[in-house]
Amino acid sequence: MDATSSPFVSSRRMGVYDPIHQISTWEENFKSNDTNNLTVSTSIIGEVDMKLDNQFQSEDDTHGIFGTSVKYDQDTNRLTDKTQRRLAQNREAARKSRLRKKAYVQQLESCRLKLLQLEQEVDHAKQQGLYIGNGLGSNNLGFAGSVNSGITLFKMEYGNWVEEQNRQILELRTALSSHIGDIQLGTLVQGIMNHYTKLFGMKSAAAKADVFYVMSGMWKTTAERFFLWIGGFRPSELLKVLVPLSEPLTEQQRFDAYGLEKSCQQAEDALSQGMEKLQQMLSDSVGPGQLVEGTHIPQMDTAMERLEALVSFVNQADHLRQETLRQMYRILTIRQTGRFLLALGEYFQRLRALSKLWINRPQFPGHA
């Protein structure tokens, strides 16, 4: 993002705390605490093969003790070679079988996602058909179609994103309960981190299409919207809830997490203050003047220019959310990070479940 277009250029002139400077110092503050560097061993397969070779060699030595006949030794060697070849063939067949199974599962998942996409497109077409039938004019329909094309894409992509997140959370929960190694766990953790980065990119594109839609949280469930802050979650509040679930922590880790929480609060306050000032400026822009149908109102031009800053606020808030996840990744060990991301994903799953329970709650007479 161009620094000159950030809403914090004007905020600093008004004496408002600049969160971008605070965020930029996090890299240096936590660089020394990076405990997530992992080393990948490339000799595991070789060690297994060596153990198998040693095992077969031991068997050959044992057979040699019980006879001195040359013919017997030759027959034994041929039998051993045949056994080794058969074992190698079995291992190769098992490997190919696993690859075929993996490809088949991936193909099924791809078909499921395509089916879900088609269902969402059909639902959207039905909704638009109902919308058209409600008597909107052609000008309004053309305007809505041009604006909502990006939002429609975002809703479809976000539905797929949630499905993939649910799959990742299930896989991470299984991995943590089975006590897999840090290398395999690190791969899962990095995949989830990349998945959140993808969401922030999707939201940035959607904000350019319709920033009010992203700000309103209409793409989220009702319970999630209750906690909405500038188009997403408030990082400091989630740290208060989720950091204790990553225990046990060292004293240094607790200190770093607490410092991160305070930095998030300062950045959130600065963004909130900037939003309030922007709202006031918009009110001042659209308030004066007389609205006459079909006439140009100069104040609206000023209001439209100031609305461009609203997209920057959404991007800044998502930058703060993404940077918070990155800093927790540096503060915690890989297993603690796994527990943190699991708690984060399950938190949103429970909010979505709460929304469904609320919508489907029993309706009694007189309380509809």
Side-chain angles (χ1 to χ4, degrees), residues 133-319:
N134 283 337
L136 289 178
S138 59
N139 291 337
N140 289 334
L141 285 174
F143 176 74
S146 61
V147 171
N148 289 336
S149 58
I151 297 304
T152 301
L153 178 62
F154 171 73
K155 288 194 293 186
M156 184 171 57
E157 289 179 340
Y158 180 69
N160 295 335
W161 187 91
V162 171
E163 289 291 329
E164 176 63 18
Q165 186 196 40
N166 291 336
R167 186 197 66 78
Q168 288 180 336
I169 292 303
L170 178 61
E171 187 176 8
L172 181 60
R173 186 188 300 116
T174 302
L176 289 172
S177 61
S178 62
H179 305 291
I180 66 172
D182 286 351
I183 296 178
Q184 297 91 328
L185 183 60
T187 302
L188 294 178
V189 166
Q190 191 59 56
I192 295 176
M193 294 286 291
N194 294 338
H195 197 53
Y196 279 106
T197 300
K198 180 180 178 181
L199 173 61
F200 298 137
M202 290 161 44
K203 287 178 61 183
S204 179
K208 293 179 181 178
D210 188 352
V211 66
F212 291 115
Y213 177 83
V214 177
M215 289 283 295
S216 67
M218 293 303 296
W219 46 285
K220 286 182 168 291
T221 59
T222 52
E224 289 176 294
R225 290 201 296 269
F226 181 73
F227 297 96
L228 196 69
W229 174 78
I230 312 185
F233 62 84
R234 188 183 288 269
S236 63
E237 293 298 327
L238 281 186
L239 289 178
K240 290 179 182 178
V241 175
L242 301 181
V243 168
L245 300 179
S246 304
E247 291 282 359
L249 301 176
T250 65
E251 289 299 324
Q252 184 63 45
Q253 287 176 324
R254 292 191 187 95
F255 178 80
D256 291 341
Y258 179 76
L260 178 60
E261 179 186 326
K262 292 304 177 185
S263 297
C264 287
Q265 288 178 342
Q266 292 175 349
E268 291 163 8
D269 291 343
L271 281 169
S272 298
Q273 291 173 9
M275 282 289 297
E276 292 175 0
K277 292 181 182 299
L278 179 59
Q279 289 174 342
Q280 184 61 49
M281 288 188 294
L282 285 173
S283 297
D284 295 340
S285 297
V286 301
Q290 183 179 3
L291 180 61
V292 180
E293 188 69 25
T295 61
H296 177 71
I297 304 176
Q299 294 94 325
M300 291 301 176
D301 295 336
T302 303
M304 289 295 292
E305 292 175 359
R306 287 173 174 171
L307 277 179
E308 294 294 331
L310 193 56
V311 178
S312 297
F313 274 102
V314 173
N315 290 334
Q316 293 285 2
D318 275 348
H319 176 72

